[in-house]
Amino acid sequence: MSVSIRNAVSGALSGKTIGRIIFNEAVRENAPHLSGRVLDIAGGRSPSYSSLLPKEIDLVRTDITASPGVVAVDMNKPLPFGDASFDAVLLFNALYAAENPPALAREIHRILRKGGVWHLASPFIANEMPEPHDYIRYTSEGLTRLCLNAGFSDVVVENMGERATAAAQLLHPFFLFNIVRMLVYPLALLADRLIPRSVLSAHPAPIGYFVKAMK
């Protein structure tokens, strides 16, 4: 996915990290395809991407603890939903907290209807995020294998960002003012575009990956 300089600047002025800006762009590109009943695992009550999801979907929000409009679901246990009960499942930036990712992937496959889609975002180059735990980072190949081994038939993995934006993401604590972010983010995006394709292919270094896995 490609993030415009305009979106980078507006995101910087609102205090977002470059990783969050790129992730939101990935959601924006994929959200129009969502329909029917959608399960959002570990998204909580007010995730940053909520405004990007179609208004007409039947969205089931979940988190480790219940709150108004949010169902309590522990993704480290069998999901409390029937077979083939959802048209899509979202798992954004939480796979690293799963104690047994293959078991979770199989559960997601089970509750999806035939032709359903699993949208997964997972960090690669990022700080540790113990919320409450942080166990693992997957490569593109690892995410593909995770989905295929769970029974998904078609898996597409997209890189989110590259070396320069990954560096900007890691250095975010040093950008104390939004005006600094406004200057750094566009430069990082431009630097990413200068990386040779051979390097991108052989040695990718993204902030994270966005996955679309079809049942």
Side-chain angles (χ1 to χ4, degrees):
M1 69 284 304
S2 177
V3 177
S4 69
I5 299 300
R6 179 179 178 179
N7 284 348
V9 170
S10 63
L13 291 176
S14 65
K16 292 183 176 67
T17 66
I18 187 65
R20 179 61 59 180
I21 294 168
I22 295 172
F23 162 72
N24 283 348
E25 187 62 32
V27 175
R28 184 179 291 107
E29 290 181 7
N30 287 275
H33 304 292
L34 295 174
S35 62
R37 193 172 186 227
V38 179
L39 176 66
D40 186 10
I41 299 177
R45 185 177 181 183
S46 301
S48 66
Y49 51 84
S50 60
S51 64
L52 305 175
L53 303 178
K55 305 298 183 187
E56 63 273 13
I57 61 175
D58 179 12
L59 182 63
V60 179
R61 299 189 184 279
T62 74
D63 208 343
I64 189 65
T65 58
S67 61
V70 178
V71 180
V73 171
D74 186 349
M75 66 179 178
N76 291 313
K77 298 179 180 178
L79 298 177
F81 304 105
D83 295 355
S85 55
F86 288 94
D87 298 289
V89 173
L90 313 178
L91 180 64
F92 292 153
N93 303 311
L95 183 64
Y96 55 79
E99 295 174 0
N100 188 340
L104 175 59
R106 290 192 296 269
E107 277 292 285
I108 291 172
H109 183 271
R110 176 184 66 78
I111 66 174
L112 275 171
R113 295 171 181 144
K114 183 65 176 177
V117 59
W118 177 19
H119 283 305
L120 165 67
S122 184
F124 181 62
I125 296 179
N127 55 285
E128 291 190 15
M129 295 171 278
E131 301 169 348
H133 303 291
D134 188 341
Y135 296 116
I136 196 167
R137 295 288 183 269
Y138 276 96
T139 62
S140 173
E141 187 176 18
L143 290 167
T144 300
R145 186 174 68 170
L146 176 73
C147 295
L148 292 176
N149 286 349
F152 290 91
S153 59
D154 185 21
V155 182
V156 176
V157 181
E158 292 186 84
N159 293 13
M160 293 191 292
E162 242 299 323
R163 283 165 170 76
T165 46
Q169 176 74 6
L170 292 175
L171 293 172
H172 179 79
F174 293 97
F175 307 146
L176 301 179
F177 304 102
N178 290 344
I179 189 68
V180 177
R181 300 184 183 100
M182 187 187 73
L183 297 173
V184 171
Y185 291 177
L187 291 175
L189 288 169
L190 291 172
D192 276 353
R193 296 170 188 173
L194 296 177
I195 300 171
R197 290 189 178 183
S198 58
V199 175
L200 296 177
S201 177
H203 305 289
I207 299 172
Y209 297 102
F210 196 91
V211 183
K212 181 180 180 181
M214 302 293 297
K215 180 175 180 178

